[in-house]
Amino acid sequence: MKSFSPILENDFVKLAPLSMSNYHHLLPIAGQEKLVQYSPSDIETPEALKKYVEQALEKERNFTAIPFIIYDKRNNKYAGSSRFMNIDQKNKVLEIGSTWIGREFQGTGLNGQAKLLMLNYAFNEMHFEKVEFRIDERNIQSRKAVEKLGAKLEGVLRKNVYLLDGFKRNTCCYGLLKEEWS
Amino acid sequence: MKSFSPILENDFVKLAPLSMSNYHHLLPIAGQEKLVQYSPSDIETPEALKKYVEQALEKERNFTAIPFIIYDKRNNKYAGSSRFMNIDQKNKVLEIGSTWIGREFQGTGLNGQAKLLMLNYAFNEMHFEKVEFRIDERNIQSRKAVEKLGAKLEGVLRKNVYLLDGFKRNTCCYGLLKEEWS
C-alpha cells in the first residue's frame, strides 16, 4: 500500500499532515482543560502532546493512520487535529477519529467542514467503502454531529475502553457506507 | 507484557499452543470443503494452512494473539484450532475467534468445552475484563453457541469484512463481561 499524506481544503478549513514541525501550534489548544474528556488520549501537557503526535506518526509509518492538523482559514488560526485511523485496506474500512478542536472553534461549523473533506477523500480518492466513528456513549454532542453526516448507529460496545480517569466507557459504533454518501 | 503459551485442558478437550511442529495434524480437517465459509480465513490447501499458521504465530510474537490446537481427548484425535486474538492489554479486552473444528466434532460438545476453558483462562488467569466474539450475521449456529455461553449481542457492524468469495459480511459483535461470568 502506498503512503499518502494529502492536503485537504476548502474555503473554510485546511487539513495538512500533522508533523513534528507543526504540532507546536496546537500546544495552547491541547492544554485546554478536559478538551478530550471522552477519549483515552492524553494531550493536556506539552510532553503528553509530543508523545501523542509521535505515536500518531508511528501509526502513519505503519499505514494504519493519516493524522492531520486542522487550520481555520476564516480566522487564520490552527484549531486542532483529526485523523484517519484503524485503516483496514483489505476490507476498505477506516475510522475517522482522535478529533479535537479548541473550544473557541466548537459550534462554528469548522468540524463539520473538516469531516466533509475527510469523508469525500476517503470515499472518492482512497476509494474506501465504509467510514466508522467510535464515540463515548455519553458524548451526545459528537454523536449528534456524526448522525447529522448520515452515519448510522450500528451498536454500543459495552465497557471496552478505559479513559484517563479510570472510567470504562461504552463505545457507540457508527458507520457510513459509500452508497449512503453522495 | 509477558508472553504466555498455556496448555488448557479438562476431561474432554486439550488446547495446546499451535506451532509449526504440530499444525500438520490439522491438514485433513482444514481441507474439508467450506469449513470456514463465514470467515475470511483461507485454510483449505496445505499451502494456505501453513501461511495461516505462520501469520498466527507472527501475531503471537506481537502479543496480539495466542493460537491453540484443539485435541479431542475422548476420541484421541486432533480436532481443529481456536485462538485469543485482538488482545488489548490496555483495556483488558480480547476476542476468542478463528475457531474451527472438523465436521465430525461439531455438535459433540467439544467446542463448548474448549470455549469454557478459554473463558475461564481469560477471566481468571489473564484477569481480562471482557471477551468478545465476532460472527457473520448469517452464521446462526455460531451465534447460538456464544449466546448459550452468556454473551450479549452488542451490535451488528454492517459490511465490514470481505469473505474469500467476495461477499462482504455484516458482523455481529458479542460481548461477555467478567461480572457476567461465574
Side-chain angles (χ1 to χ4, degrees), chain B:
Chain B
M1 180 186 159
K2 80 177 177 73
S3 174
F4 32 63
S5 293
I7 292 175
L8 312 180
E9 68 181 307
N10 60 19
D11 290 344
F12 306 99
V13 61
K14 178 174 176 174
L15 301 177
L18 181 66
S19 71
M20 292 315 291
S21 55
N22 65 22
Y23 89 93
H24 63 277
H25 294 300
L26 299 177
L27 282 166
I29 293 158
Q32 292 178 2
E33 202 182 335
K34 289 194 180 180
L35 193 67
V36 293
Q37 62 173 312
Y38 295 118
S39 147
S41 301
D42 184 5
I43 59 171
E44 210 167 317
T45 65
E47 297 72 31
L49 184 65
K50 188 180 180 202
K51 194 173 160 193
Y52 173 87
V53 175
E54 283 169 348
Q55 288 172 340
L57 297 176
E58 172 66 24
K59 286 178 177 154
E60 186 167 43
R61 283 190 292 276
N62 295 336
F63 306 113
T64 62
I66 304 176
F68 295 100
I69 189 165
I70 302 173
Y71 186 77
D72 182 334
K73 288 172 72 169
R74 287 168 300 181
N75 290 297
N76 296 315
K77 281 180 184 168
Y78 286 96
S81 184
S82 185
R83 72 180 74 158
F84 296 125
M85 55 194 276
N86 293 324
I87 296 175
D88 179 351
Q89 183 70 36
K90 188 173 165 191
N91 292 306
K92 302 286 179 201
V93 178
L94 59 75
E95 184 181 340
I96 294 178
S98 290
T99 304
W100 44 273
I101 55 172
R103 294 196 204 287
E104 63 272 38
F105 304 97
Q106 296 178 15
T108 67
L110 184 76
N111 189 35
Q113 289 294 331
K115 290 270 168 49
L116 288 177
L117 286 172
M118 292 176 80
L119 285 166
N120 276 328
Y121 192 80
F123 288 128
N124 299 329
E125 304 298 325
M126 294 174 75
H127 303 293
F128 269 50
E129 298 171 358
K130 184 177 185 186
V131 172
E132 296 185 339
F133 301 90
R134 306 225 157 186
I135 303 170
D136 188 317
E137 189 179 32
R138 304 164 301 168
N139 189 352
I140 305 300
Q141 188 185 349
S142 289
R143 292 179 58 183
K144 282 192 176 157
V146 302
E147 285 167 6
K148 211 168 147 185
L149 292 166
K152 304 272 192 305
L153 182 63
E154 298 181 343
V156 183
L157 302 185
R158 299 173 305 155
K159 295 191 182 181
N160 70 330
V161 175
Y162 271 116
L163 301 185
L164 298 178
D165 62 6
F167 180 85
K168 206 164 196 184
R169 79 176 195 193
N170 296 335
T171 301
C172 290
C173 296
Y174 283 91
L176 183 56
L177 302 175
K178 187 167 191 169
E179 57 264 37
E180 295 166 343
W181 181 251
S182 51

Side-chain angles (χ1 to χ4, degrees), chain A residues 23 27 42-54:
Chain A
Y23 88 92
L27 281 166
D42 185 6
I43 59 171
E44 209 167 318
T45 66
E47 298 71 31
L49 183 66
K50 188 180 179 203
K51 195 175 161 194
Y52 173 86
V53 175
E54 284 169 347

Side-chain angles (χ1 to χ4, degrees), chain A residues 12-55:
Chain A
F12 307 99
V13 62
K14 178 174 175 174
L15 301 177
L18 181 67
S19 71
M20 293 314 292
S21 56
N22 65 19
Y23 88 92
H24 63 277
H25 295 299
L26 299 177
L27 281 166
I29 294 158
Q32 292 178 1
E33 202 182 337
K34 290 193 180 182
L35 193 67
V36 293
Q37 61 173 313
Y38 296 119
S39 146
S41 302
D42 185 6
I43 59 171
E44 209 167 318
T45 66
E47 298 71 31
L49 183 66
K50 188 180 179 203
K51 195 175 161 194
Y52 173 86
V53 175
E54 284 169 347
Q55 288 172 340

